[in-house]
Amino acid sequence: MTRRIKFKSEVGRLLEIVINSLYKHREIFLRELISNSVDALNKLKFKQLNGEEVLTPELEHRIDIKLNQQGNTIEVIDTGIGMTEDEIIENLGTIAHSGTKKFFELLEKKDEISEELIGQFGVGFYSVFMVADMVEVISKSYIKDSPAVRWKSEGKERFEVDVLDGDYKRGTTVKIYLKDDSKEFLSESRIEAIVDRYSRFVPYPIYLNGRKLKQLKPLWLENPQGLKKEDYEKFYKYLTKSELKPLTYLHIFSDAPVDLKSIIFVPPFSLIKFGLEDDTGIRLYSKKVLIAEKTEEIVPDYLRFLKGVVDSEDIQLNISRETIQNDPVVLKLKKTITKKVLKHFKEFLKKDRANYNVFFEEFGVYLKEGIVKDYPEKNELAELLLFETTEDEKKITLEEYLEKTDYKDSIFYIVGEDRKTVEKSPYLEQFYKKGVPVLILTQVLDETVLEHIGKFKDAEFKLITREDVFLEGEDKETTVEEEDKKFLEKVKEILKDRIYDAIVSSRLVKSPYCLVSQKNAPSSQMERMMNALNKFYVPSKKILEFNTSHPIYKGLKNLVLNSEDEKLKEIVLNSIVDTAELSEGFLSNIPQAVERYNGLIERLLELDKN
Ligand code: ADP
């Protein structure tokens, strides 16, 4: 009996989109079908290795492509796990499958994403309708006594399913009735080229009209000494189904203390940036048998952007998703891989700075995450960080920073919105004067990162907007006369709601005053963020520091000590705090500040009138 079933509505939409948007990449339909066959064979192999009973266990694991010129058809045949009637309806009638779903998400962001990248996503089975007028899938499940089933569709609104009588071989045959404009795919050389391009590392033999095609053996099992960069790049393309090249890669090839053959890639950019989850991760094999398509357990979480394969003969084939995490061999492998990866990053930093910079832009945030989450490799990760400094827009490492400074026990830093605001900051004046570089942190996260590093080599991190952070050899206190004391007392009194203290110091060279944080207080940027996250967080009060050699200081002193106009004192002093805040890039209370400025303007206008 034939069952006619309507596609779920989104399938119809997908079919339309796939056909239109991927037209230039029509050939990937073959990649998608072969990749489904590989999955089906992997699943079968896995069941066999775990001692499950399967239909015709002696049947060779292989993929056949058959071209029929007269009939205008292509068949892709595998001896994999197959599908039952229920499975075929579920699997080929909905798009509950991750690959296809992702493709939808991707299309929504199409403007930001290149054509190339679109091809990178597994559109899955439905891509076949780019080249097909009609598709027939015949499948026989590995489960004994389960009848074969046929699925048929023109890729429009519905599909048909029949249960078949008679003998069928285990596995799945996808028969494509080619569209008139897709006849090129009947050419053997064309098909061979496509297989070579996308499927050369497929771990099962592929036959084209009965002839075995040339394939490459798993690259990770080859001795790296005989391999070239191009080999790795081709493997990367196969693995990620993309036309992109990795930023860097490493090949781990060792037998002892654990058997470990692994190729690890850093992709050219982070997909997560586009709000997309990455499909390819690290594949785990044992003796060439695929155990998991994407293993999160084989590298620490902060290295989740890596792609590649890990193969070890020491891993149990019957390891399960649940036990993988605590498996002693996996843990050992993880340790080794982490160590090698970090060592590789260090070499990458030394040998190829231009590309390392790109790497850091894309993935630096992951390394920082490793530090903030206090992974044991924290110190090694710290060596991989890059920072902007006041000296140069070119980012440098902490080690390079220490080479540039005479103050070997201090790494000075400042936090700000952006380089421009920070550069003009009054806190930097004494550092400019002495030629001491200061790290510029423009991300609040960076401050937390430094806190978690704690100390780098023997140097301590010092936020230069703190009251106790001073260049050694500079006197913080300048001589304070009785008169100055009186002035400062009065300032403190007038500003008691806004500041913690008022002092004079030699911190400043050109600017008249600035606000500094109390000892151990986080930066203003951090405090503002904390306040944004939690309304109950009250930012700590600052210390107002004056530069006694500035003309404004003398004028202020005169006003505060000798004038009777209390209102003016209040407006002027509060405006000073506002201005000091502004030089850090923000204002804590805008409406009040506006009112004060208007007060000042009125005063100035009155002056003019008199
Ligand atoms: P995806 O491969 O991303 O899951 P597809 O649309 O390509 O999505 O395939 C949908 C599902 O159909 C697969 O997940 C699989 O369960 C099933 N399937 C497709 N092709 C085969 C095949 N050759 N053998 C067995 N099952 C298959």
Side-chain angles (χ1 to χ4, degrees), residues 335-383:
K335 223 170 151 180
T336 313
I337 295 169
T338 308
K339 222 164 89 190
K340 299 253 181 190
V341 166
L342 295 186
K343 193 170 152 228
H344 178 80
F345 287 166
K346 218 170 158 185
E347 278 164 23
F348 187 32
L349 165 79
K350 282 207 191 103
K351 293 190 185 140
D352 187 2
R353 192 57 171 264
N355 278 319
Y356 186 85
N357 288 340
V358 178
F359 162 73
F360 192 77
E361 284 309 310
E362 288 293 327
F363 301 104
V365 65
Y366 293 88
L367 306 181
K368 291 174 187 174
E369 180 189 314
I371 294 173
V372 172
K373 293 198 174 152
D374 290 317
Y375 278 86
E377 308 82 46
K378 208 160 76 169
N379 292 336
E380 280 137 286
L381 289 171
E383 293 179 28

Side-chain angles (χ1 to χ4, degrees), residues 36-37 40 43 78 81-83 91-92 97 99-100 124-126 172:
N36 280 346
S37 290
K43 286 178 193 157
D78 66 64
I81 195 170
M83 286 176 272
N91 294 340
L92 303 184
H97 305 285
T100 327
F125 174 77
Y126 301 109
T172 303

Side-chain angles (χ1 to χ4, degrees), residues 541-563:
K541 282 190 192 160
K542 301 277 173 72
I543 297 152
L544 183 59
E545 277 191 25
F546 289 103
N547 172 2
T548 51
S549 58
H550 198 283
I552 283 187
Y553 181 76
K554 294 188 183 87
L556 269 179
K557 212 160 75 174
N558 187 33
L559 173 77
V560 170
L561 295 179
N562 305 325
S563 167

Side-chain angles (χ1 to χ4, degrees), residues 387-419:
F387 293 94
E388 260 185 69
T389 69
T390 45
E391 286 207 334
D392 199 343
E393 276 189 50
K394 215 178 74 203
K395 293 186 171 178
I396 62 171
T397 63
L398 294 173
E399 209 162 296
E400 287 161 349
Y401 173 91
L402 286 175
E403 282 161 21
K404 283 173 183 286
T405 174
D406 295 332
Y407 297 82
K408 300 292 180 201
D409 60 352
S410 306
I411 297 176
F412 295 105
Y413 70 97
I414 183 164
V415 188
E417 293 291 306
D418 52 54
R419 188 184 179 85

Side-chain angles (χ1 to χ4, degrees), residues 307-352:
K307 296 171 187 291
V309 294
V310 170
D311 194 336
S312 170
E313 298 198 349
D314 298 333
I315 297 177
Q316 297 294 317
L317 274 173
N318 59 2
I319 195 167
S320 73
R321 274 249 152 252
E322 294 73 47
T323 54
I324 219 169
Q325 206 169 354
N326 301 315
D327 184 85
V329 180
V330 172
L331 287 173
K332 212 155 145 194
L333 292 173
K334 182 174 175 177
K335 223 170 151 180
T336 313
I337 295 169
T338 308
K339 222 164 89 190
K340 299 253 181 190
V341 166
L342 295 186
K343 193 170 152 228
H344 178 80
F345 287 166
K346 218 170 158 185
E347 278 164 23
F348 187 32
L349 165 79
K350 282 207 191 103
K351 293 190 185 140
D352 187 2

